[in-house]
Amino acid sequence: MTEREMRMKTAEIEKITHLDYFNIAISVDCVIFGYDDKELKVLLIKSDFKEFEGLYSLLGDLVKPDEDIESASYRVLKERTGMDDVYLEQVQAFGSVDRHPSGRVITIAYYSLIDIKHHKLQLSHNELSWQPVNDIRKLAFDHKIILDTSLIRLQQQVMDYPVVFNLLPEKFSLRELQELYEAILGVELDRRNFRKKMSIKEWLVDIDEMESDVPHRPGKLYKLKPEFRKKSGRKKAAPIKQMSL
Amino acid sequence: MTEREMRMKTAEIEKITHLDYFNIAISVDCVIFGYDDKELKVLLIKSDFKEFEGLYSLLGDLVKPDEDIESASYRVLKERTGMDDVYLEQVQAFGSVDRHPSGRVITIAYYSLIDIKHHKLQLSHNELSWQPVNDIRKLAFDHKIILDTSLIRLQQQVMDYPVVFNLLPEKFSLRELQELYEAILGVELDRRNFRKKMSIKEWLVDIDEMESDVPHRPGKLYKLKPEFRKKSGRKKAAPIKQMSL
DNA sequence: TCAAAAGTGTTGACTTTACACCCATGA
DNA sequence: TCATGGGTGTAAAGTCAACACTTTTGA
């Protein structure tokens, strides 16, 4: 690189920096929750940014000018998990001036609930990994705050609406369901009271099958009644033309 | 330089790569609630967009590149109401591609609760007006949806936290407080049960004064205990250098 | 036969709702 | 003296929390 080229680069960056003073980029970040091994997990990726070397971050991308923000988060989900038709809900926007090292980027956080078993796909590829929510101490950017906020939101939702089923396979036992609630809420629940409450809510249908492969008395299996199967997803991701990266 | 380091983007390069995407404008819109004449009201302005001639819209502005989104909404509030130190809370972002006729604008909605009596200022100036929330049928842009979403959020908050006091003067009677809850929630409440609940919550302090100017037996006046006076406002608006418009 | 979880009801504490009368004030 | 809301308690219904024993299965 000649000195002239070096100077050019500087000038170019100068111009960009200036431009960027008048412009704000907007991204979506997805807090993708899964449930496995009796723990609530979240899908993370090794950060690409030098500034955050060694840290993980949420999955996100810039919003394209011709794409709804909800579609953008569906796109990120689909690109990263291969899954479509998932539960997705906006949490809120995060927009501190200094939250992103390369400039002004306001991000809109979404949280998503997926059945981790349906995934298993492009994991070892990029540096994606499922990590237990409770073990996470630090993330790139302000992603730890986004995660914490999303978890609180999930905990609130879970108390009122039948959303946790998006984290489970279609058929599940009451024990699995209770353990999932316990993992999300971080509390222990009384089994009899839990079952009573579930039967009052009338969310479940007994499908007359039993667990198998358990080292103890098998429990009945249930499904969520179809009328409660709201993916909350009104819009699907637009077809992906090209994989980013 | 290892291959991984090569693959790692620096912040500078990231900035260049994604220059294309700095093409979306971002705004805040404030749903400013007030309470007067036993009705919940919202502060609106005549839209100056041809596309929305005759319609009102929420108060908003573009976010400046060097300003936090929360500060931006404080700024809008201060510019429009002259009030500082108000209750303000983010609702969510709205980002449909076609929500704004003059281009791609993603907006972040905030709702605010103010004491309408402390306002009264620059009202007749621009075309600001307080309108009863229940009478509003149509607004410019997607502002009706933003309003509806904000109202639902307010209703949820009100059930759990002592926020309604931001809509009242410092001293108020239990009747006024109850009427306010009724206006927000759109239900009638039982007076005895309402008073019992308030006394259990222990939010109020009896200031040993009575109403005056009421055409009936005066009630006691109360204040909110100072420890509950959370404006939720961590950040104030940055000092305004120049009035927009 | 042991370990592990399935399945199942009752009681007391607390919360919520419904409801009615006398009182103080201003017009 | 009348109209208006202030101020107050109780009982019944419903919800929530705590708690233990028998049964079924696989190892």
Side-chain angles (χ1 to χ4, degrees):
Chain A
M1 197 184 264
T2 68
E3 197 190 317
R4 190 180 130 68
E5 280 169 333
M6 296 241 327
R7 267 188 288 109
M8 260 188 67
K9 176 103 189 217
T10 313
E12 196 180 331
I13 289 174
E14 194 76 14
K15 185 177 118 199
I16 290 161
T17 310
H18 186 65
L19 235 186
D20 149 332
Y21 180 82
F22 293 101
N23 288 283
I24 304 176
I26 182 116
S27 64
V28 292
D29 281 301
C30 296
V31 180
I32 305 174
F33 288 114
Y35 175 65
D36 189 31
D37 198 21
K38 306 192 181 181
E39 283 184 309
L40 187 66
K41 307 207 170 170
V42 61
L43 190 60
L44 299 175
I45 188 168
K46 270 258 170 68
S47 176
D48 268 352
F49 282 76
K50 250 207 175 113
E51 289 85 347
F52 299 120
E53 203 167 351
L55 291 180
Y56 282 87
S57 76
L58 298 171
L59 300 175
D61 197 5
L62 293 173
V63 176
K64 298 179 179 178
D66 61 348
E67 155 183 81
D68 293 342
I69 53 176
E70 193 172 302
S71 304
S73 49
Y74 272 111
R75 175 172 54 78
V76 168
L77 261 161
K78 173 120 190 198
E79 283 171 6
R80 297 304 192 165
T81 67
M83 293 174 70
D84 213 332
D85 191 33
V86 295
Y87 179 89
L88 184 74
E89 192 149 306
Q90 191 188 128
V91 180
Q92 59 165 91
F94 293 81
S96 297
V97 168
D98 57 3
R99 62 171 294 283
H100 198 295
S102 36
R104 187 70 201 279
V105 183
I106 290 172
T107 198
I108 301 168
Y110 283 79
Y111 83 86
S112 175
L113 305 177
I114 76 173
D115 174 5
I116 210 168
K117 299 284 168 49
H118 272 182
H119 177 252
K120 291 294 181 195
L121 312 168
Q122 40 267 82
L123 255 187
S124 57
H125 296 227
N126 0 40
E127 317 203 41
L128 284 176
S129 76
W130 288 102
Q131 299 191 11
V133 168
N134 289 327
D135 295 353
I136 295 167
R137 298 280 163 268
K138 207 173 168 200
L139 293 173
F141 309 99
D142 53 357
H143 286 185
K144 179 64 161 78
I145 291 169
I146 295 177
L147 172 61
D148 292 344
T149 307
S150 302
L151 177 59
I152 289 169
R153 189 70 141 263
L154 172 61
Q155 290 171 336
Q156 291 166 346
Q157 292 290 307
V158 143
M159 304 286 283
D160 294 328
Y161 307 102
V163 296
V164 300
F165 304 95
N166 293 291
L167 290 164
L168 289 175
E170 196 187 5
K171 306 171 181 181
F172 50 84
S173 69
L174 288 174
R175 173 179 38 79
E176 290 172 306
L177 183 59
Q178 180 178 341
E179 285 168 352
L180 171 53
Y181 272 94
E182 290 174 336
I184 292 173
L185 297 172
V187 295
E188 300 229 311
L189 300 173
D190 177 90
R191 190 171 45 172
R192 277 179 288 190
N193 292 338
F194 177 79
R195 285 163 186 245
K196 201 185 312 168
K197 186 168 287 179
M198 279 299 138
S199 95
I200 289 168
K201 299 237 184 227
E202 295 191 309
W203 289 342
L204 303 183
V205 51
D206 177 344
I207 57 171
D208 201 37
E209 288 182 51
M210 295 303 230
E211 281 182 299
S212 52
D213 299 331
V214 285
H216 54 75
R217 173 176 174 181
K220 284 186 177 184
L221 292 177
Y222 296 81
K223 281 191 202 177
L224 180 65
K225 285 187 184 171
E227 58 262 41
F228 298 109
R229 222 179 282 146
K230 291 252 165 63
K231 293 290 180 182
S232 160
R234 301 104 201 169
K235 293 169 193 166
K236 293 197 177 183
I240 300 166
K241 288 159 203 154
Q242 194 178 340
M243 212 72 169
S244 72
L245 288 208
Chain B
M1 196 184 258
T2 67
E3 195 192 317
R4 182 168 153 72
E5 280 169 333
M6 297 255 312
R7 270 189 289 110
M8 279 187 70
K9 296 175 233 167
T10 64
E12 287 303 314
I13 293 177
E14 165 87 2
K15 200 189 292 183
I16 294 162
T17 312
H18 290 298
L19 239 191
D20 290 351
Y21 291 109
F22 287 79
N23 244 334
I24 304 177
I26 182 118
S27 65
V28 291
D29 280 301
C30 296
V31 180
I32 304 174
F33 288 115
Y35 176 65
D36 190 30
D37 198 21
K38 306 193 183 181
E39 283 184 309
L40 187 66
K41 307 207 169 168
V42 62
L43 190 60
L44 298 176
I45 189 169
K46 269 257 170 69
S47 175
D48 45 13
F49 279 76
K50 234 188 188 138
E51 290 86 346
F52 299 121
E53 207 168 346
L55 292 180
Y56 283 86
S57 76
L58 298 171
L59 301 175
D61 196 6
L62 293 175
V63 176
K64 298 179 179 176
D66 60 348
E67 155 183 80
D68 293 342
I69 53 176
E70 193 172 302
S71 305
S73 49
Y74 273 111
R75 174 170 55 78
V76 168
L77 261 160
K78 173 119 192 200
E79 282 172 5
R80 296 304 191 167
T81 67
M83 293 174 69
D84 213 333
D85 191 33
V86 295
Y87 179 89
L88 185 74
E89 192 149 306
Q90 191 189 128
V91 180
Q92 58 166 91
F94 293 81
S96 297
V97 168
D98 56 3
R99 61 172 295 281
H100 198 295
S102 45
R104 185 71 200 278
V105 183
I106 290 171
T107 198
I108 301 167
Y110 282 78
Y111 83 86
S112 174
L113 304 177
I114 77 174
D115 174 6
I116 211 168
K117 298 286 169 48
H118 272 183
H119 177 252
K120 292 293 182 195
L121 312 168
Q122 40 267 82
L123 255 188
S124 56
H125 296 227
N126 0 39
E127 317 203 43
L128 284 177
S129 76
W130 287 102
Q131 299 191 11
V133 169
N134 289 327
D135 295 353
I136 295 167
R137 298 280 162 269
K138 208 174 167 200
L139 293 173
F141 309 99
D142 53 358
H143 287 185
K144 179 64 161 77
I145 291 169
I146 295 178
L147 172 61
D148 292 344
T149 308
S150 301
L151 177 59
I152 289 170
R153 189 71 140 262
L154 171 61
Q155 290 172 334
Q156 292 166 346
Q157 292 289 308
V158 144
M159 304 286 282
D160 293 328
Y161 306 102
V163 296
V164 299
F165 304 95
N166 294 291
L167 290 163
L168 289 174
E170 195 187 5
K171 306 171 183 182
F172 50 85
S173 69
L174 288 174
R175 173 180 36 80
E176 291 171 305
L177 184 59
Q178 180 178 340
E179 285 168 351
L180 172 53
Y181 272 94
E182 290 173 335
I184 292 173
L185 297 173
V187 295
E188 300 228 312
L189 301 173
D190 178 89
R191 191 170 44 162
R192 278 179 288 190
N193 293 336
F194 177 78
R195 286 163 185 244
K196 200 186 313 167
K197 187 169 285 181
M198 278 301 139
S199 95
I200 289 168
K201 298 235 185 229
E202 295 191 308
W203 289 342
L204 303 183
V205 50
D206 177 345
I207 57 171
D208 201 35
E209 288 182 50
M210 295 303 228
E211 281 181 300
S212 52
D213 300 331
V214 284
H216 55 75
R217 172 176 173 183
K220 284 185 176 183
L221 292 177
Y222 295 81
K223 281 190 201 178
L224 180 65
K225 285 187 184 171
E227 59 262 40
F228 298 109
R229 221 178 284 145
K230 290 252 165 64
K231 293 291 181 181
S232 160
R234 301 104 200 168
K235 292 169 194 167
K236 292 198 178 184
I240 301 166
K241 288 158 204 157
Q242 194 180 340
M243 211 71 168
S244 70
L245 289 207

